[in-house]
Amino acid sequence: MKKKSSLLALVLACSVVMGACSNAGNNTPPDQTGTPDNNTSANTEPADPFGRYEEAVTINVGIDVDPTDNELPAGDTPMDNQYTRQIKEALNVDVNHHFAASGQNYRQRISLAIASNDLPDAMVVNAVELRQMVEADQLADLTEVYERYASPEIREIIESTNGAALNAVTFDGKIMGIPGVQANADGYHLMWLRKDWLDKLNLEPPTTMAELETVARAFVEDDPDGNGQRDTIGITGPESGGKLYANFLESKNNLYGFDPIFSAHHSYPGYWLEGEDGNPVYGSILPETREALASLRDLYAKGLIDPEMAVRNKADEPIIAGKSGIFFAPWWMGYGPLTNAVRNNPEANWQAYALPLDESGVFNAHIATPSTDFVVVRKGYEHPEVAMKLSNNLLKQEQENTFDPSKGGPGYYPLRVVHAPSDEIEFTVEATRELLAGNKTAEDYQDAKTYKLLQSDLASIKSIKNEPYDVLDIETWNPEANWGAWTRSYSIMVGGTPLVDTDINEVPSLIYEQTPMMESRWVNLRKIEDETFLRIIMGAAPLETFDTFVEDWKRQGGDQITQEVADALAE
Amino acid sequence: MVRDQTLGNRVTDIVLIVILVGITLSCVLPIWYTLSLSLSSNSAAAAGQVWLWPVDFNLNAYGQILNDSQFFRSFWISTQRVLLGVSLNFIIVALMSYPLSRTAAQFKGRNVFMWILIFTMLFNGGLIPLYLTVKELDLLNSIWALVLVGGAQTLVFNIILTMNFFRNLPKELDEAALVDGAGPWYTLFKIYIPLAVPVLATVSLFSIVYHWNEFLYGLVFMTREQFYPLQTYIQQLVVSVDPSTMSEDQYRRLAELSNRTLDAAKIFIAMLPVLIVYPFLQRFFIHGITLGSVKE
Amino acid sequence: MRMKGFAKHYYLMLVPGFLWLFVFSIIPMFGIVIAFQYFNPGRGITGSDWAGLEHFRYMLLLRDTQEVFINTLVIASMKIVANLIAPLMFALMLNELRLMILRRWIQTIVYLPHFLSWVILGGIVLDLFSYNGPVNQLTALFGVQPKLFFADAQLFPFLVVTTDVWKEFGFGTIIYLAALTGINPALYEAANIDGAGRWRSLWHITLPGIRTTAVLLAVLSLGNVLNAGFDQIFNLYNPLVYSTGDIIDTWVYRTGLLNLQYELATVVGLLKSVIGFLLISVSYYLAYRFVNYRIF
């Protein structure tokens, strides 16, 4: 098949042909001790999701760890730490790093791995990469692995998404990856606001766009931080490389974008929507988006949006330094800039609101797909079920609180994807309220096992939350008592409350995956979109550029892609 | 040199000095800025208060670096890379430049070889085939991947420079060598190389700077952080992250790690070796870089 | 004549270098075929289907690719011109400076930035030009509104060129200084006796004395018309300035490695190589024709 004799073959050797054992389950050596699953026969028979291998099994993974993170205890290494030791202990699996990188560089490593067919046994990829690998026939079919090895808890979480999670990994009826499931709450973008500034300036949280402008102007002009200088930002915008809004491919956790401002105009750029005629349309090219851009452009021109948006390297710096009054982001901002902001200034009263509203007083929000990252296994790897077992094990250990994050962050767990029940945040908010109101006790929630952190949340809440319990302002919290618990509970209670208490008009995208044509064309379409919108908002191009953009977008493949989306939906 | 000291001349002199000193100061500015950033408190740095003078002077960042074993490992990898890369570059450049500096009459095929070199300098198949080649040679995560791949890309330019220098040495040298019965090896090592010290120092300097500053290959050929050279390690500090695929705790961790003064201290230390080496080499390259001393 | 026997030694001298280039430069060139394929990584270069010129056709359709070619040409040509003139001016000024100690100090300091990588300088430059940075504080003294320099697409190419000149002029100065020292001092003395002032000496002696060097440098830099500087732009740009700042190399990097469009990236990379090769050939011819100098 390939000749290694000549030097020329050196470069051609990328055609390394993987062992053709797609039916990996049958090649699995009899695993684990004392489970009834000494199989080889029926492939659908359930196996022990936590079974320990008798003989050590090695898995080479690609892992996203920050190389500058040196918080591991002395003697530990990225390949030898509490996580890998627990895995060795529980499963007898040795974890090797095929590659390790962080952020954008992790994506680049995956790209290199795919292109050169030099794949790790397993890694975590995004939807685009997943699709690419399926097409290149690089992935093991995990249907059987999932059927047999998924633990009941994981299964419950994955199946609680109404099929969305499994849909995302199913190609031609085969499951090609293990989908992660993140809480729905990650997909709702809220308005975070310095309530202490509002109080000082005698203002109310802005509900309409007009009020938002008033508040932002006051934040810029009326010296809310009281230092006598005009050095505050009204509304923080995305940082360099950040997104103006979440889109159908990256539909959640967009920090410092303008998602709620768009949706207050009924504009959902980056999303595939149902048009008036019932056919799919792309939100970015609709007139509502033009309106929203016009209003953002106006805010920017008036100096109410951070003048350094899109160029600033770290948008969180002014927030931490107490120089910004409003930003848009999901619920978990305690984990984001707010811990440091409150450390800097214990009076920084950041509160979250489901605002601004549209003209009829409704809060619109585009909602996310639960699954954006996926564990995939290389075709030909002898033990594809190891990937599943690692996920099972992680969820179990998280429920049992085995790992100590101060001894190395959870990113060191190999093949880590989040598995959370979709309503984790809302459920936790309501449970905490019941507990604080004295209606229920922690024991009442013993059975809610998939909410893995609920018990510890309930146990610690009273040590960090002072009375009155129904007020969430910063002075009613006691972060010094336990910063870790405060970060979580403040995020959940402040960031989760609007989700529970607001009637949200939810707008999903018709699809959350790429269609075939997007593979070659989407990047370029996204580029003109991002560029045009940024330039319009920041006044570098007139609003009319939007119309040219729409034309260009359609001509450069947008129309064909829209048709493809329609076809895909018709199926 | 005596020139008349008219008023006009003095004014010209003063204006000159002001301009020149101003420009010169601007060249020191980035280093000075990095230094003062690294000596400031983190909060002052994050708030953008530091410019020309440290705010809340402290040495914490440098203390923290001492505990960062990866920083030193990367520093050492870069050092090795430079040493190996420069030596190899020196040997090959000297060896290849000499025959190529012969005329086509003296060395048949010289022009063909030269054009092949030019060809390799301009054409490449992209990163992916390069990655495959390195992988097949089992050089991933090896320092030799950095030395050989990077070296190959700068080699031709250095050869052209050196070859031009050789070519412009007086023809009498060759004749004298020939009369003395010296062979090509003797001529190269005993006559040409000693005369070519300036140009060889120059290409070595190029090589040092290149191998010390290059970051992309470290990212591509080193699959794990412990093999990163220093610039790749530093590039990691500034690389952007995408929170849409991150979980909350990962994000928090990242935020906690963000530390501008520490970054500045690392960058400052990364600049040091080059700053220390180049004054020693510069007396050579002033002569060497003149493209084989174009003669009037 | 015994020179004849030298050829085999010449070949021997070339062997190690060519072996090196063969493995790390020529072999990976086979990746160019990806430009003509529907590249399927699972099946590799040997197993993928042929696409003919399909990707070339698509490339011509894209507004993007035209844009990056134009941007590359604009930025690179401006850099070439500026990098020829700025060092010349500086060298001339320095040549007029009569305080020798100051002169030596300036000479040493101004090439400092040349040795620092863009990974390091990129962050510093962005800081200096930030909204509250020193540049804006300086212009504020004259009542100018603060400006976001690196968000302005019109300004971006000029900023790139300016910062590049700032980084490289010191190094370029060396070449001219060397040429200047090559001018016979007797000429100046004679001029002085004839009563020629500073400016006349400059015009009639200095400039003609370095003419050849300047022309040669200009011709040589032609080959760089498609090299607008990956490292620099990569570390300075953002989506707001793509329209004027995105160049071939950054585009190829993003397209091929971050966006998984290997074929398109290879096509554009190949086109760049071809044009680069043509330009080098032209400059080779021009140098031969006008300065009677063979570059290689």
Side-chain angles (χ1 to χ4, degrees), chain A residues 60-82:
Chain A
N60 292 306
V61 300
I63 193 164
D64 186 354
V65 290
D66 189 335
T68 58
D69 182 347
N70 47 21
E71 310 259 314
L72 286 172
D76 277 10
T77 67
M79 276 195 274
D80 177 19
N81 51 55
Q82 56 170 342

Side-chain angles (χ1 to χ4, degrees), chain A residues 72-276:
Chain A
L72 286 172
D76 277 10
T77 67
M79 276 195 274
D80 177 19
N81 51 55
Q82 56 170 342
Y83 303 102
T84 59
R85 285 191 291 269
Q86 191 273 335
I87 290 165
K88 178 74 180 163
E89 176 78 11
L91 303 172
N92 200 15
V93 168
D94 295 311
V95 178
N96 249 327
H97 288 179
H98 190 79
F99 61 75
S102 69
Q104 211 181 41
N105 293 337
Y106 178 68
R107 302 258 83 87
Q108 180 190 308
R109 279 242 79 87
I110 291 180
S111 175
L112 265 176
I114 297 175
S116 61
N117 209 10
D118 177 24
L119 301 167
D121 296 330
M123 60 181 172
V124 177
V125 299
N126 67 25
V128 176
E129 291 148 359
L130 172 70
R131 196 185 170 86
Q132 179 110 2
M133 296 184 80
V134 168
E135 267 166 28
D137 197 20
Q138 290 175 318
L139 292 184
D141 177 0
L142 297 181
T143 316
E144 192 190 308
V145 165
Y146 179 76
E147 295 302 333
R148 299 181 63 210
Y149 289 92
S151 73
E153 291 82 12
I154 287 230
R155 203 180 284 263
E156 188 184 327
I157 288 173
I158 290 180
E159 277 154 27
S160 73
T161 59
N162 297 326
L166 277 182
N167 255 345
V169 292
T170 305
F171 295 81
D172 291 333
K174 293 181 198 152
I175 296 176
M176 303 307 286
I178 305 166
V181 177
Q182 292 184 27
N184 281 342
D186 288 357
Y188 295 92
H189 299 88
L190 304 167
M191 176 164 74
W192 288 84
L193 190 85
R194 276 291 289 268
K195 187 147 172 274
D196 52 324
W197 286 9
L198 278 185
D199 295 342
K200 187 173 166 195
L201 303 170
N202 280 323
L203 292 161
E204 289 295 311
T207 56
T208 63
M209 283 304 296
E211 288 175 29
L212 176 63
E213 186 177 332
T214 314
V215 168
R217 168 161 301 121
F219 281 2
V220 172
E221 291 174 359
D222 299 347
D223 191 25
D225 62 344
N227 67 350
Q229 284 171 6
R230 188 176 157 148
D231 59 351
T232 42
I233 293 168
I235 304 169
T236 282
E239 60 193 23
S240 169
K243 296 193 289 279
L244 287 169
Y245 40 81
N247 56 63
F248 75 105
L249 290 172
E250 299 155 305
S251 51
K252 60 179 64 142
N253 290 342
N254 184 31
L255 270 59
Y256 319 121
F258 298 124
D259 303 76
I261 294 188
F262 280 101
S263 42
H265 290 87
H266 301 282
S267 156
Y268 307 94
Y271 267 54
W272 289 94
L273 311 166
E274 192 167 310
E276 279 161 16

